[in-house]
Amino acid sequence: MTISRTDVVSYSAHGALGVIEVNHPPVNAIAHPVRQGVASALEQAIADPGIRALLLVTAGPIFMAGADINELARPVMAPSLQELQSAIESARVPVVAAIQGLALGGGLELAMACHYRIAAPDARLGLPEITLGLIPGAGGTQRLPRLVGAARALDLMLSGKPWSAQEAYDCGLVDEVAGTELRAAARAFCERLIAENKPARRTCALRPSGPLSETDAQQALQKHARSIKGLRAPALMVEAIRAASEPFERGIAIEAELSAKSLQLRESVALRHLFFAERAAGKLRDVNVEITPRAIRRAAVIGAGTMGSGIATAFADAGVQVTLTDNAEAGLRHGMSLVQGNFAAAVKRGRIDQSTADERLARIMPSSSLSDAADADVVVEAVYEDSDLKKSVLSQLDQLLPADRLIASNTSTLSLTELAAATAHPGRVVGLHFFSPAHVMKLLEIVRGASTNADALAAALQVSRLLKKTAVIAKDGFGFIGNRMMQDGYFREAEQLLLEGATPEAVDRALEEFGFAMGPQRVSDLGGTDVGTRVRQELFKRASRPDPYFVIADRLTALGRLGQKSGSGFYRYESGGRQAIPDPEVERVIRELAAERGIEQRKITAAEIVERCVLSLILVGARVLEEGVAARAADIDVVWTSGYGFPRYLGGPMFHADTLGLRQVAERIRYYQQRCGFYWTPSPLIERLAAAGQSFQQHDESGS
Ligand code: COA
């Protein structure tokens, strides 16, 4: 019998069992109305002497995704999550949480304040606050160690990844994995508690299994060193977990203090910015039609090179049947061996088992005939980056496929508008710029040509969701968002610094210390200097750039120094090794190129290297924004953090510019314009925002 109901919480009684149900789509985030609703339902239940157990359930596929991240930057409205937890924990009857889908962050913390937990077999439970640069702040650091031990608790928090229901059961975080349908199993569990007269078992009253040892802390920090780089929250987590061996009230007070500190950290503000930016980037803003794109069951990928094979792998990973087409027999064989290699690597890394790999491989059908693409719901052209070849393939596909199917070109340099114009239906042609390896890299630039229509964009977004990519929509233009900023900004400045006297090693080291995953010269060597040269040759067909523009990289290509694959590039590599060894020969080539241009070499500090490379990224980013190639500064941040190794904890180049302050940014750009010349021409947008004391974030919010 339903007794009360708010917009998001209902309470019903079934004999001696009270059931509180939260229904706050899409993810049951514990926003203020949820806390208020649960607190008042709880009060009602407790006041009823007939109630002997309470069940907390939620509607929808996800139990609870945590505190409402939107509320984190605002003053807390009562009841706080902690107050609600105390009310639950001190209830006179046992309270049971029934967990389906995901219990994350505050969702798991709320469940831990319940007296018992039962989970569906496919449920996952975790504390992902670290991905937002935060520590769990609603008792997680105090209750989890009491349930599973301090070392395990730290590992879960540092990993940011959830445990499976079975793992959670094995270490005592949940009391039962449901053997039947979750709600039925949870009710049966509650009936047993009632029949056996079981008391409310308060997590806060449990003793932690022991204090966190220094060795355990160091081991866990070491294990997650890569993913926690640049974050200060891990140290706060260790401190909070140490407090779990104190009496609960004291531990909770320490956690509250540390949690408040983590909320103020620059990187946590940056990571929350990225959380929303990543979700907003893949939304169509200027198209206000509700479009339901066609379901994607079959895909076709044309061209079985590295990109094509990676894209086919990504589709197969997503459960889609794929035809991988190449007109060269040898190319097709090589492509299929690349695909096999991708799955074998996933098995080797323990990501999937052999039978899953076999299943996925069986989804990919090699074909030497383009006509096998005819029944695909979506087709991605990934042939060699040559304009005429691509145009010919696209026009054949256009004739082959019904007019409602999406045709995508995986180009990184060519004009999508021009490519689409080679077809009779340019509206359905879109660019899907995958990053290599395509089945691994998260970023997908969706390029809209001048004629691309809303249906095609909606279908492209559907593809990105299916492949679990982070999508950013870019307008057609030289290098789109990412490569334009890389070529005209970041890499170009790195080359300029080399000409002025910095060594490749010094440039790379400075930028890696700044936080980039890999410095620009090492990136060039990894990808192949010839690849960059080819990209520029293609780009130059659309727009040229005055000298010096990648004169070093292009000279290295001409010398056959193609990077790691040829054993030398900006560095040299010993027989097939990956270690970049500085090479005096490269320094000689650079000196020669500098002398030819009358550039005087000097000693350059790491600070100057970082400032110039990062500012030039910001400057070209502002141009990309002014030209409308990117719709929002936040989109640029997503591109650079998910596709180009910009440190996430700085929130992306444009967010970083806001952190520096646009007045300061504008001033330094003007300074470098005087020293370095025309390509540092200030951006009117930065100048305008700086003069108004505004940020890129405010620019995004104002939508102008
Ligand atoms: N607070 C507020 N909003 C949240 C949220 C949260 N904790 N978690 C998700 N959302 C919102 C998203 O912003 C998105 O909103 P939108 O549709 O307006 O863009 C919507 O819920 C769906 O989320 P999305 O990430 O697009 O769905 P998904 O199915 O791919 O992933 C989750 C679901 C729960 C795995 C993912 O959203 C997530 O990781 N959330 C954050 C979990 C977390 O860090 N919790 C600790 C908070 S301190």
Side-chain angles (χ1 to χ4, degrees):
M1 179 183 60
T2 302
I3 296 175
S4 66
R5 183 186 293 281
T6 71
D7 283 352
V8 290
V9 179
S10 67
Y11 171 58
S12 57
H14 310 262
L17 179 65
V19 178
I20 299 175
E21 176 168 0
V22 174
N23 185 2
H24 183 43
V27 295
N28 292 316
I30 315 169
H32 176 244
V34 172
R35 300 195 300 273
Q36 211 170 31
V38 174
S40 87
L42 183 70
E43 219 170 276
Q44 253 177 320
I46 301 301
D48 179 349
I51 294 295
R52 295 181 55 207
L54 260 174
L55 182 57
L56 175 66
V57 297
T58 65
I62 289 178
F63 172 69
M64 286 180 172
D68 185 333
I69 301 172
N70 294 295
E71 289 183 0
L72 294 181
R74 303 181 208 142
V76 181
M77 280 159 72
S80 67
L81 187 48
Q82 289 85 338
E83 285 161 347
L84 177 60
Q85 289 169 318
S86 294
I88 292 176
E89 208 162 35
S90 58
R92 63 170 177 81
V93 298
V95 183
V96 178
I99 299 167
Q100 82 285 5
L102 284 164
L104 295 180
L108 178 56
E109 290 176 300
L110 188 62
M112 286 194 286
C114 294
H115 306 117
Y116 299 92
R117 286 154 294 282
I118 173 168
D122 58 355
R124 284 174 299 143
L125 303 87
L127 293 173
E129 282 81 351
I130 191 73
T131 59
L132 299 171
L134 298 170
I135 73 163
T141 67
Q142 304 304 300
R143 290 192 179 89
L144 189 62
R146 282 173 163 77
L147 287 164
V148 307
R152 271 215 193 93
L154 180 62
D155 188 57
L156 182 76
M157 290 181 204
L158 288 177
S159 77
K161 304 220 168 72
W163 282 335
S164 67
Q166 190 60 45
E167 284 170 305
Y169 174 77
D170 290 343
C171 64
L173 177 56
V174 302
D175 301 282
E176 186 175 308
V177 177
T180 53
E181 189 272 325
L182 178 67
R183 285 212 186 173
R187 279 184 182 218
F189 185 92
C190 292
E191 298 301 345
R192 280 201 307 280
L193 291 178
I194 294 170
E196 293 167 16
N197 223 359
K198 282 274 166 66
R201 185 196 56 187
R202 300 191 168 97
T203 312
C204 64
L206 302 174
R207 294 230 106 257
S209 63
L212 182 66
S213 73
E214 188 55 35
T215 320
D216 284 343
Q218 285 312 322
Q219 262 175 8
L221 290 168
Q222 202 57 39
K223 178 175 163 194
H224 300 288
R226 255 181 75 152
S227 58
I228 62 178
K229 184 178 151 193
L231 300 181
R232 282 167 285 182
L236 302 180
M237 277 178 186
V238 169
E239 215 178 320
I241 291 183
R242 292 230 157 96
S245 48
E246 307 255 354
F248 187 77
E249 292 311 322
R250 177 152 169 71
I252 274 287
I254 293 175
E255 181 197 78
E257 227 171 80
L258 296 169
S259 162
K261 214 187 247 183
S262 77
L263 272 164
Q264 301 302 322
L265 294 173
R266 184 201 57 200
E267 64 264 23
S268 94
V269 183
L271 289 166
R272 277 177 275 156
H273 159 73
L274 283 178
F275 178 86
F276 289 113
E278 282 165 359
R279 280 153 185 84
K283 297 217 164 93
L284 287 174
R285 274 172 290 266
D286 54 344
V287 183
N288 56 7
V289 277
E290 277 296 317
I291 300 166
T292 313
R294 178 187 181 80
I296 299 166
R297 295 200 180 81
R298 304 185 71 83
V301 179
I302 317 301
T306 309
M307 275 324 259
S309 311
I311 297 167
T313 306
F315 274 113
D317 282 342
V320 176
Q321 297 290 330
V322 196
T323 308
L324 179 60
T325 302
D326 202 301
N327 58 7
E329 200 53 51
L332 194 55
R333 265 201 311 277
H334 179 61
M336 285 308 286
S337 75
L338 290 175
V339 166
Q340 276 161 355
N342 293 342
F343 292 127
V347 172
K348 201 168 149 209
R349 293 207 177 102
R351 291 213 187 104
I352 52 172
D353 57 24
Q354 189 57 49
S355 69
T356 309
D358 295 343
E359 226 172 84
R360 293 183 184 183
L361 182 60
R363 290 189 190 125
I364 304 180
M365 284 292 300
S367 155
S368 51
S369 163
L370 205 60
S371 57
D372 287 335
D375 63 351
D377 299 302
V378 52
V379 53
V380 183
E381 163 286 296
V383 300
Y384 192 72
E385 193 80 347
D386 173 274
S387 182
D388 291 338
L389 177 62
K390 280 192 187 283
K391 281 181 186 166
S392 143
V393 170
L394 291 172
S395 121
Q396 289 175 63
L397 288 170
D398 185 44
Q399 288 162 35
L400 200 64
L401 275 101
D404 63 341
R405 309 295 156 88
L406 179 72
I407 298 181
S409 171
N410 171 57
T411 179
S412 56
T413 48
L414 302 172
S415 161
L416 205 267
T417 308
E418 271 179 38
L419 293 180
T423 71
H425 306 91
R428 62 147 146 184
V429 182
V430 79
L432 288 183
H433 179 204
F434 285 86
F435 291 72
S436 190
H439 59 296
V440 176
M441 291 292 284
K442 279 267 156 237
L443 181 63
L444 183 63
E445 265 185 318
I446 297 179
V447 185
R448 74 196 280 188
S451 321
T452 305
N453 65 33
D455 288 330
L457 283 176
L461 285 168
Q462 160 107 328
V463 171
S464 82
R465 273 194 297 275
L466 183 75
L467 304 186
K468 299 199 169 60
K469 301 289 182 198
T470 303
V472 176
I473 300 173
K475 265 220 292 236
D476 197 10
F478 184 96
F480 316 130
I481 300 175
N483 280 348
R484 162 81 179 282
M485 289 169 67
M486 182 172 87
Q487 297 286 328
D488 279 358
Y490 181 56
F491 272 39
R492 173 202 200 126
E493 198 57 31
E495 276 243 344
Q496 187 69 32
L497 284 157
L498 297 180
L499 290 172
E500 290 178 26
T503 62
E505 200 197 1
V507 170
D508 283 347
R509 200 178 329 111
L511 289 158
E512 283 161 17
E513 272 167 20
F514 169 78
F516 271 98
M518 208 186 258
Q521 267 64 56
R522 290 215 292 135
V523 170
S524 283
D525 274 3
L526 189 65
T529 49
D530 56 327
V531 174
T533 299
R534 257 203 325 269
V535 163
R536 285 184 288 280
Q537 282 164 353
E538 283 304 330
L539 286 174
F540 283 177
K541 291 182 184 161
R542 302 165 70 183
S544 64
R545 296 290 185 267
D547 185 285
Y549 191 79
F550 293 90
V551 287
I552 305 169
D554 291 346
R555 174 69 62 87
L556 294 178
T557 302
L559 291 170
R561 299 185 66 115
L562 309 183
Q564 270 187 31
K565 63 186 170 193
S566 73
S568 68
F570 278 96
Y571 297 93
R572 65 184 180 82
Y573 302 85
E574 268 166 11
S575 58
R578 287 167 163 264
Q579 201 202 335
I581 304 164
D583 189 345
E585 176 57 16
V586 174
E587 287 167 36
R588 194 194 58 73
V589 169
I590 296 173
R591 272 198 305 277
E592 199 176 282
L593 290 165
E596 282 168 15
R597 287 161 182 79
I599 298 171
E600 212 170 292
Q601 295 209 310
R602 63 188 169 91
K603 202 167 157 28
I604 299 178
T605 64
E608 180 175 343
I609 292 170
V610 169
E611 184 177 48
R612 284 176 55 178
C613 288
V614 173
L615 277 183
S616 55
L617 195 50
I618 294 167
L619 177 57
V620 181
R623 292 197 190 121
V624 160
L625 203 53
E626 280 164 342
E627 293 162 17
V629 173
R632 295 155 29 104
D635 290 356
I636 295 175
D637 289 335
V638 173
V639 167
W640 271 80
T641 50
S642 52
Y644 292 83
F646 192 95
R648 286 183 67 80
Y649 56 84
L650 295 178
M654 310 316 269
F655 185 86
H656 183 59
D658 284 350
T659 311
L660 296 172
L662 291 191
R663 264 201 199 126
Q664 160 85 358
V665 167
E667 195 180 295
R668 297 301 290 167
I669 288 173
R670 276 184 251 116
Y671 167 78
Y672 283 118
Q673 182 191 22
Q674 276 167 13
R675 269 188 55 189
C676 305
F678 71 95
Y679 68 96
W680 278 91
T681 303
S683 131
L685 175 62
I686 296 181
E687 291 292 330
R688 175 161 67 76
L689 292 174
Q694 287 195 330
S695 62
F696 282 121
Q697 200 162 8
Q698 285 166 321
H699 173 70
D700 278 356
E701 280 159 14
S702 74
S704 62

